[in-house]
Amino acid sequence: MAQDIFADIEELQELLNSRAEVSGDLATALGKARRHLPRRIYKQGQRLVQALPLLEHPKLRMTLDEAALKGAVRELKSHLKAIDTADRRKGRILEVLGGVVFSLLVVFTLLIVVLRWRGFN
């Protein structure tokens, strides 16, 4: 049963790497992706990070609620699989282009204001 959870955690690390574009072990990847994840999803991931050392120990593994851990894995997986990387990429490009266009508008407006102020019509 614990081997299934370890396999699920490795799959989560791969999903975090491919979908959220963060690398490292589970704790590091969740820390990097924290601001992109909803609070509930992040807390489920933290629950898995805290349970990971206990899962590695045979006797302490018995103290964990594996059904709750499976639910956390399932919820995290469903959220990560729903992330559309192409849409995020488009959003980032549009964000940069919007900033550039806004800057150009501000510079052009200031140029017109200065030219009018100096008397060039």
Side-chain angles (χ1 to χ4, degrees), residues 24-42:
D25 62 336
L26 187 62
T28 307
L30 278 174
K32 290 178 183 176
R34 181 177 188 172
R35 63 189 180 113
H36 299 292
L37 296 174
R39 183 177 296 150
R40 177 179 167 89
I41 302 297
Y42 177 73

Side-chain angles (χ1 to χ4, degrees), residues 2 5-10 13 25-28 45-57 60-61 64 69:
I5 292 178
F6 284 123
D8 288 340
I9 288 174
E10 284 193 24
Q13 288 175 339
D25 62 336
L26 187 62
T28 307
Q46 284 303 106
R47 175 185 281 175
L48 289 171
V49 168
Q50 291 172 354
L52 199 55
L54 298 177
L55 282 170
E56 294 170 355
H57 194 277
L60 292 178
R61 184 182 308 143
L64 295 175
L69 293 177

Side-chain angles (χ1 to χ4, degrees), residues 44 66-76:
Q44 295 291 345
E66 289 196 24
L69 293 177
K70 287 271 189 192
V73 166
R74 189 173 34 253
E75 191 172 351
L76 206 56

Side-chain angles (χ1 to χ4, degrees), residues 100-114:
V100 169
V101 168
F102 179 74
S103 298
L104 287 174
L105 282 173
V106 167
V107 168
F108 184 70
T109 304
L110 287 174
L111 178 69
I112 290 176
V113 167
V114 168

